[in-house]
Amino acid sequence: MAGHGLDELAATQYDVPLTRSVSTAPSRFGIQDARFSEEAGESESQWNTVHHRSRQPRRPKNLRRNGGEGPISEADPAKARRLVEALVDISRYIRSPQFGTQSWLNDSEIPTSKEIGHIVNGIVIEALKDKEFEPNRARGAWVEGKDFYLQTQYELFREDALTPLRESVNEVRAHPDLLEKDSILNTRIYDSAFITGVTLCRKTLAVRVEFSTRRAEKRIRWAQSKRLKTGTIVALTPKNDLFRTTCRVAVVVSRVCAQLQVEPPSKPSIHLEWGNPREFEYDPQQEWIMVEASNGYWEAHRHTLQALQKLQSERFPFAEHLVDAKPDVSCPQYRTEQPCIDLSPVMTSSDRHEILDAIREWPDLARPDENGKPLSELDASQLDALHRILTKRLAVIQGPPGTGKTYISVMALHVMLKNMTIDDPPIIVSAHTNHALDQLLRHVAKFEPRFVRLGGQTLDKEIIEPRTLQKIRDDVSVDTPAITRSAIRKERSLASELQALLYPLTTQQPFSPAILKSLDIIDDHRQQTLEEIERDYVGDDFNDSDDPINIYCGDQLHRFQRPDEASYFNRTFEEYDETMQPDDEDVELEFKDDKFELLHGTSIRFDPGYLVDLHPEYSDNRAAALLHRYSDMSQIPSRYRGSIYAYLQKMAKAKILDRLREIAMECKILSKEFKIGRFEQDCTILHDTNTRIIGMTTTGLSKYRALVSSLKPKVLLIEEAAETLEMYTAVGCMPSLEHLVLVGDHQQLRGHCNVKEFESAPWNLDISLFERLVNNGIEFTQLKMQRRMRPHIREIVNPIYPELMDHPSVELRADIPGMGVLNSCFLHHKFPESNDDALSKQNDREAEFIVFFYLYLVQNGMAPGEITVLTFYNGQRKLILRLLSKLDSLRNIPSKVFTVDSYQGEENEIILLSLTRNNERGQIGFLSVDNRVCVALSRARRGFYLFGDSVAVYQKSPLWKKVLDVIGCDQKEIRYCLPLVCQKHNRTTHVDKPTDFEGLDGGCRLLCKETRPCGHACRLHCHPQPHDQIACEQPCEKILPCGHRCSRQCWYPEHECRICDDKLLSEGLFTPSTSSHRSRFLKNGRRPRITSHVSLPANTIGPPSAYGIGPTGLPETPQGQRFRDFAAGGVTQQDKRMRDQAQRHFEKELAKAAQSKIVRDRRDHEIDFTLPPTDDENTSHQQREQVKREAAKPAREEQQNEEQLDDMQQKRRQERRDMENPTQLTGKFAVPTTVSARKAEDFLFNGAYFAPTAPNRFRGPTPVSKASSANVSEEALVDLSTPPRAVSPPQVATPSNVSRHRYTEIWTSNQVNERVRMIRAGITDGQLGEQMHSQVDPPTTQQNGQSAEQIEELISLLD
């Protein structure tokens, strides 16, 4: 049956869609916004939540089969039939009940209050706390059978998921006022929690909860925090109950940072799904306490527990090995039917094809061909592993560190894909972490583009993200399934009913008599008497808006007020790990950003409502009796009326609650229908795109099990199988599976449990299926050729891997610079340990020593990215990161510092291992775990250095005893001090404490004395950097044309004669705009002073350049220009933020100047270059005062002010354009690339050393150390790598302090330049004076709005 026959079959018999052609593809079904809160008079700003978005019709794209002309329903009937069967399987899988005769099969998807709070019918049952469990088995068969095996795995895994929250609930029950800092379990507690609305979406009927973080006593960075992540399970209890009789369990279904990161008095909010619809709560006046456990993540367990329940009723492949523990493994069925394999992907030559019967024969591909080259690049053990993967239905491959586990997995996939037929289902690949999965798929993408990744947790935006199912779904168009269309209609109906039902909670009035009557709380007569009371009260002024309940209750009724969030601006931020690697948990969420966290549906906001002052004698029975006695509500005494309304309101809310719980049950069923429809669409896409490989994490195997199993996969390959708990692997055994490949190393890290007791005997829950199979003696292959560690380091892991061999390439590893031939060493010390605030271990002095050694290695030529610091404790890791961030030379360079647990599968050139532990009791903690030790010892390629107490680990750990015997027996590498070898003098410096590194700059403490390229002898201490990267600080010896010796230091690119410059300056012909003006002050032993402001005349107005002030508030000098270029990105583009900040500050000051016609006090980056007045200057004090008085006179008219303001704006626009395109300086400032603008100013004007090339202490653009800068001439403070500007009369205002030089004439720029030229040419003063006086008369009147005296004083601003 083909074409429309299959369409009809799908539509009538299975009620599922098929892909249609472009001409018949319908538009996507739109959903109208069912927002209800607008009818209640609420503004959008009050209720910031997302509702249904109308989905616009998308231009459909025809989904074609490979090389086909049309949709598969018309071109490939066989494939269309397989698709129909797959869609039916999806529906059957999701709809099938989970009930059975065994109790564990009847457990709900979300735990109940009985499981978390041990509460049954409002009573805490202590006996529930003593439930016994069957332990897991590390070896041996499950003779009781498959059901018992699955039950044990299920119960232990569920207990591991629920124990953290259960213990947190018990802690809060015992200590009601507990603060988070006092919690032993690090419990997270949120009080003042109120339900403020509900949202009906396709997932569930969720409630919106606002809460307070008061008990945290910290400010939360929600974007980085792991608090209340989507999928987290929480427990709630009424404030006045505190888990004594009531416990409600809920799951976070939406966590939008925009709704969390709010400012007081607003409170953060999330959306919760109640675990049991029969326990649905909604009362907006009920205050709750919400509790969250800090460890454990329900989403990582939820889908696996459901899959284990499903697996009980399915065929369980590989049961003979997983349950019965049979060691002999046969060939997969599909391989038996097609034994011939094309091995060309693993052949050295691309044109060579090796097709053979892999079951009966296997070629020796390690042999050389006719040209003497090996047939394959794989070594012998890798070829054996490949043979096992291709020919054994259960293939177990152990890959020790550096042997290429991932590589052999990729090559096996390549061979499998090469031999696949068009009718074969896709291969499923999985890994424990998102990082490992992305790494595997990146290799696959090189030879197979038709792969799909399920889940949205990828960090690879270029290769992997475009191949996620979500992205592919956006690029193609598939008909909306019939079940989805039906579910949409039901959702609309429920939304309408929900709006009507919750209407009384959305108004800002009490429950009206009409509402109470509609809920059957009162009868018609009571409703009529209530309304008559209102009319009698208001009389002729009756208004329909008057509320009868307000009139009836009088002052006993008042508005309910929720407490606001207290101001937390006096709180410190909660510490979080800024440098942690991205969350690599094997958890599959679609997306993590706010766009996909928002719930799309019908959102209803609750009004807080009204409260009643109850009568002292109030009780429900008394209120019911009064209502029964009085049919006329007006006859009830007024003192009881408030209590009567409270009783009626309580009854009304109970009625609403009953129906809400029924709706919640219907929504739970509806969510399954939406899930079926979504999986049907995804299944259609995977079929139509001919997907050949599907990747997901091990959690994804459970979450998408309905979709994946419908594809009838035959092959499943799991990377990191030894790090994956057994139940994750077990649920991957789908009924159609014929071939299971496990790749890992059981001697490295195991999986993690929330309950640490479960990681040891007798529970053994952390034992993977991989390790259990090896313990049971099943056939497996071990890779034996390592390509990572140099032989000397590989010997350290010989106690763990005695058969490991070295590839010839590892023998060519270079020695570590600055360490001689000592490429590995154990530094023994007795630095004591301590605890951080989170009770994690740290060792301050050990951390300092490691940081200094890290810096020493960088100084000797190792790149920071080539060094990794590993530690067993997170507290020590954070401490080392803080210390590294304090080093100026490494401040903006990312450092690799990780815990051992997060570094499996990684490597680096140099590993610095911090053991941390050192105490009087000799306890070694995590260092006693052999799997962690194995990972820590096997990450280094060239250099490996350990720091810790060797005696303690030697005595407490058998493995460490063997390792230290290898390290210290022959090589004598267990030391009390670390020998640092100078690369120049071959001199050894021994260091055994952090202070020993003082005075070392990568070399030894001898003077360098080498000859520089300039001819000078280097006077610095020994350093490994070449001299062409270090500025020569000695005086320049070049003789200038004027006959004088150059006054600058050798490193300056331009020469200067200070004698000639001083002569010009004394005659008033050398302006402050030249660089040597600064040098003259420094020669006199004086340095510019940083002051808080630059004073300007009160009547000055115009652009700051007219005042001699640059765009950062700095004078127009070469030094100021250097700083402006630095702030504008001329030196580094990373300081754009500082540039923008300086620009905003500048514009603000300009506005002030234009408004008040003065420049007010500028307290940021302002410099006064004037010197304290000397005795010679005291005589001009009166003249200075006269200048200030003249400058204060209003010398300009209003029109002139406006014109100059326009000029100022035009110049500012030009300056902005110049700042956006800064000119790159020819010299390179030796400053940190992230130095702030203020710090840059201090560097430039306060005596720091700037060089046009890299300085002498550190590699790269970093400042010279204080030790070397002490000998630097102060003239070296100016970089003259750019040509000096032409000398011109300055146009700057006069400060309050007038310089010692008093001018009587003002010269033009041409005259000044000519004067400079003639002095340097040897022309006499008399000749020069006559010539210049004959050219121009000195001005005596105002020029450009200022007098000659004013301009004279302006010139002296920077003198």
Side-chain angles (χ1 to χ4, degrees), residues 814-854:
D815 291 331
I816 304 302
M819 297 303 297
V821 296
L822 187 65
N823 298 308
S824 65
C825 174
F826 194 122
L827 180 68
H828 172 80
H829 66 75
K830 283 295 182 181
F831 302 148
E833 67 181 46
S834 59
N835 294 333
D836 66 0
D837 294 339
L839 301 181
S840 180
K841 300 298 180 182
Q842 64 182 25
N843 193 313
D844 296 346
R845 297 189 65 191
E846 180 180 291
E848 292 176 7
F849 192 98
I850 291 175
V851 167
F852 283 121
F853 183 52
Y854 182 104

Side-chain angles (χ1 to χ4, degrees), residues 923-1076:
Q923 297 178 351
I924 61 174
F926 292 153
L927 277 65
S928 62
V929 181
D930 292 352
N931 300 77
R932 285 190 170 103
V933 175
C934 176
V935 174
L937 299 179
S938 57
R939 302 299 103 191
R941 292 170 51 86
R942 291 173 53 191
F944 185 37
Y945 301 94
L946 302 87
F947 305 86
D949 185 356
S950 61
V951 176
V953 296
Y954 188 90
Q955 294 176 348
K956 296 292 185 178
S957 170
L959 177 58
W960 276 108
K961 183 178 185 300
K962 297 176 183 178
V963 169
L964 292 176
D965 287 339
V966 173
I967 295 176
C969 180
D970 298 326
Q971 304 299 328
K972 308 297 183 185
E973 292 181 355
I974 299 179
R975 299 171 179 266
Y976 287 90
C977 58
L978 195 63
L980 310 180
V981 181
C982 175
Q983 299 185 63
K984 288 187 176 181
H985 304 98
N986 200 28
R987 180 186 176 93
T988 301
T989 303
H990 293 86
V991 294
D992 61 356
K993 53 185 178 297
T995 55
D996 291 343
F997 285 92
E998 295 181 1
L1000 294 178
D1001 295 318
C1004 61
R1005 292 185 173 88
L1006 296 179
L1007 292 178
C1008 178
K1009 297 183 180 180
E1010 292 186 359
T1011 302
R1012 295 175 177 269
C1014 61
H1016 292 116
C1018 182
R1019 298 178 181 178
L1020 302 174
H1021 285 95
C1022 178
H1023 53 85
Q1025 295 91 346
H1027 286 96
D1028 58 1
Q1029 296 182 8
I1030 305 173
C1032 180
E1033 306 163 358
Q1034 301 182 47
C1036 180
E1037 300 178 356
K1038 182 177 178 59
I1039 303 300
L1040 303 180
C1042 63
H1044 302 126
R1045 189 183 301 276
C1046 177
S1047 304
R1048 294 192 181 278
Q1049 288 185 340
C1050 181
W1051 64 270
Y1052 275 90
E1054 296 182 359
H1055 300 287
E1056 174 195 74
C1057 178
R1058 192 181 308 161
I1059 298 175
C1060 295
D1061 287 350
D1062 284 350
K1063 186 174 183 180
L1064 291 173
L1065 186 64
S1066 64
E1067 297 182 6
L1069 300 178
F1070 200 84
T1071 65
S1073 61
T1074 62
S1075 57
S1076 62

Side-chain angles (χ1 to χ4, degrees), residues 76 78-79 82 420-426 711 714:
D76 195 342
K79 191 168 185 178
R82 289 195 298 270
M420 281 180 64
T421 66
I422 192 172
D423 294 330
D424 287 336
L711 301 174
K714 295 180 180 179

Side-chain angles (χ1 to χ4, degrees), residues 122 183 248 264 342 348 369 384 407 420 467 512 553 675 803 897 906 984 986 988 1031 1146:
S183 172
R248 295 288 184 263
D342 183 1
T348 305
D369 59 9
D384 291 343
Y407 181 72
M420 281 180 64
R467 297 302 303 169
S512 66
C553 296
K675 185 176 182 180
E803 299 181 4
V897 185
E906 306 293 333
K984 288 187 176 181
N986 200 28
T988 301
F1146 169 71

Side-chain angles (χ1 to χ4, degrees), residues 494-604:
L494 286 178
S496 299
E497 182 179 357
L498 194 66
Q499 291 174 349
L501 180 66
L502 297 179
Y503 172 77
L505 300 172
T506 61
T507 64
Q508 298 182 1
Q509 300 293 334
F511 283 28
S512 66
I515 291 176
L516 295 175
K517 172 61 176 64
S518 65
L519 294 172
D520 292 332
I521 305 300
I522 59 176
D523 53 22
D524 293 337
H525 181 65
R526 288 185 172 86
Q527 176 188 359
Q528 181 180 358
T529 55
L530 280 174
E531 294 172 349
E532 288 176 353
I533 291 176
E534 176 191 27
R535 289 180 173 83
D536 294 341
Y537 181 81
V538 299
D540 296 337
D541 297 330
F542 172 75
N543 191 330
D544 290 339
S545 62
D546 291 335
D547 183 72
I549 299 298
N550 276 313
I551 300 172
Y552 183 73
C553 296
D555 57 2
Q556 299 178 36
L557 191 68
H558 55 84
R559 291 279 295 172
F560 178 80
Q561 297 292 334
R562 300 190 189 111
D564 293 331
E565 176 76 334
S567 176
Y568 51 64
F569 291 106
N570 57 342
R571 307 182 198 170
T572 59
F573 278 103
E574 182 182 43
E575 182 180 359
Y576 74 98
D577 209 342
E578 298 183 33
T579 54
M580 273 188 91
Q581 286 182 317
D583 188 5
D584 258 345
E585 288 184 89
D586 55 326
V587 177
E588 285 297 342
L589 300 176
E590 285 297 328
F591 284 90
K592 294 187 294 184
D593 56 14
D594 279 3
K595 177 181 177 182
F596 295 94
E597 286 277 5
L598 293 169
L599 293 182
H600 305 290
T602 302
S603 296
I604 301 174

